[in-house]
Amino acid sequence: MFNVFGKKEVSSTDPVSDCQQKRDWAGLAKAYYQMGVEAMEQERLNEANLWLCRSDTIYSAVDEIYEKVGEGITEDCSERIGELEDEPLLYNDLPALVAERSEALRYTKVRIWGLLSLARLVNLGERLSAIPGCEVFGKLGWAVDTVFRCLQGPPSQEEFNGLRDLCGELYEIGEDPAFWGMGNEIPVPGGAPFQVFDLNGLQGIHQEIDAYLDDILQMVCALTQDEEPPVPGTDIVACALLPDYYVRTCAGDLEEVPQIKAELERIWSDYEFVGSEITWEMIGQRIEEYKKLDVLAHR
């Protein structure tokens, strides 16, 4: 249901809210699954992806929840997600295109491209870190600065250990109800509140950041041993798109949402930037600008 402003309304008998209040996590996973099935049957594929992936995240977080949900639902949910991965959705098309375009860049430039996207989550991360259990997101600014230094030379042992510990914290939050169960959210001026769970899109943004930082650590280890660094992943490049938030709160085509269009422009602008003759000073200036950016701002 949509209100006159084109935003989705939540029913007062919303089973999701009921399960959140009761902390019935298995019920919450089932509720999201049912919403995903209904959306898929009605060919609302972006919504189907949103809800089914939320269900999958919850029942995959804790063995007890998985057992209570039951294999009938978990297996069907997994199969449906697999089917959606073959659909022409922005969720699928953008990461594939980014990976393809990255082949024209040197490894260091691919990592810089990802770092620029990560920098655009710093502002949002600081706001989310005020939520109990979500403090880890307040460390993204430190992570961006530290990775920027790592790309220019070996980090200190303290910096290396800090990145390694942050990877662990990002992995652990995926198992925490503060991320997926409580309905935690922050206000967005001029828009619907942003839920922590909106970070679940695109394979889980917290997981993408974890993978990106782990790649940086592997790069550092390889270089210190005079070995070839691993091929960098590219999923981090799309991390600031935040499609789950807009699928959940906005009517109409996802690609026509102003904030989505603006972020896509930034992604491809960054691609042109890193593919050109750039200096560390130029990169640093761009990073500082992005760290202040509110990616959710209405324009």
Side-chain angles (χ1 to χ4, degrees):
M1 182 183 298
F2 300 96
N3 61 26
V4 294
F5 299 104
K7 295 175 182 176
K8 296 175 184 176
E9 295 181 333
V10 178
S11 168
S12 58
T13 58
D14 178 16
V16 167
S17 297
D18 290 343
C19 290
Q20 287 170 339
Q21 292 173 7
K22 297 174 182 176
R23 300 199 175 191
D24 176 6
W25 306 138
L28 184 60
K30 291 177 182 179
Y32 280 134
Y33 166 75
Q34 293 297 337
M35 292 164 66
V37 170
E38 179 181 343
M40 197 166 181
E41 291 175 347
Q42 297 177 5
E43 295 295 316
R44 294 182 281 113
L45 300 186
N46 280 319
E47 287 188 52
N49 186 79
L50 165 69
W51 304 128
L52 291 172
C53 286
R54 284 196 172 195
S55 179
D56 177 83
T57 293
I58 295 170
Y59 66 65
S60 299
V62 181
D63 289 343
E64 182 181 354
I65 299 174
Y66 187 93
E67 293 172 1
K68 287 184 177 180
V69 170
E71 288 189 0
I73 288 179
T74 60
E75 291 182 1
D76 185 66
C77 186
S78 180
E79 289 178 6
R80 288 176 180 273
I81 291 173
E83 292 176 20
L84 290 169
E85 289 174 350
D86 294 328
E87 295 290 340
L89 305 177
L90 187 62
Y91 282 98
N92 305 323
D93 295 345
L94 179 61
L97 182 57
V98 166
E100 178 184 329
R101 298 288 293 275
S102 72
E103 295 176 1
L105 300 173
R106 298 197 305 272
Y107 287 177
T108 297
K109 293 202 168 191
V110 173
R111 293 185 170 99
I112 293 170
W113 192 15
L115 184 60
L116 292 170
S117 291
L118 179 56
R120 293 196 290 275
L121 287 181
V122 169
N123 180 294
L124 176 61
E126 290 174 349
R127 292 154 62 192
L128 291 173
S129 69
I131 298 172
C134 299
E135 293 83 1
V136 62
F137 295 117
K139 300 179 181 181
L140 297 185
W142 175 85
V144 168
D145 294 341
T146 304
V147 169
F148 184 49
R149 289 192 291 272
C150 289
L151 292 173
Q152 300 174 70
S156 67
Q157 190 64 49
E158 182 180 1
E159 289 174 326
F160 185 93
N161 292 341
L163 287 176
R164 183 191 59 198
D165 293 345
L166 182 54
C167 284
E169 292 179 60
L170 287 165
Y171 177 84
E172 290 173 0
I173 198 170
E175 302 175 346
D176 195 329
F179 177 75
W180 46 257
M182 306 291 195
N184 288 324
E185 59 186 28
I186 57 172
V188 176
F194 182 92
Q195 297 178 353
V196 180
F197 209 4
D198 289 329
L199 296 176
N200 196 56
L202 298 170
Q203 310 304 317
I205 292 170
H206 58 299
Q207 295 179 339
E208 292 168 3
I209 299 172
D210 176 10
Y212 177 77
L213 297 181
D214 184 67
D215 167 75
I216 295 298
L217 294 173
Q218 292 186 52
M219 177 201 74
V220 169
C221 291
L223 292 175
T224 56
Q225 298 174 25
D226 200 27
E227 298 176 354
E228 184 70 20
V231 178
T234 57
D235 287 345
I236 191 68
V237 172
C239 70
L241 198 67
L242 307 174
D244 275 17
Y245 171 66
Y246 300 105
V247 172
R248 183 177 63 82
T249 63
C250 298
D253 293 335
L254 183 60
E255 291 84 350
E256 295 304 315
V257 175
Q259 293 91 333
I260 291 284
K261 295 172 71 173
E263 178 58 19
L264 288 172
E265 290 175 2
R266 286 187 287 263
I267 288 172
W268 298 120
S269 173
D270 287 347
Y271 178 76
E272 297 298 327
F273 173 73
V274 298
S276 64
E277 295 297 324
I278 52 177
T279 64
W280 290 114
E281 181 180 5
M282 293 166 63
I283 298 166
Q285 290 175 348
R286 204 169 180 104
I287 286 173
E288 289 305 313
E289 292 173 2
Y290 281 155
K291 285 163 61 178
K292 301 172 186 175
L293 180 69
D294 180 1
V295 291
L296 299 177
H298 286 246
R299 291 171 176 80

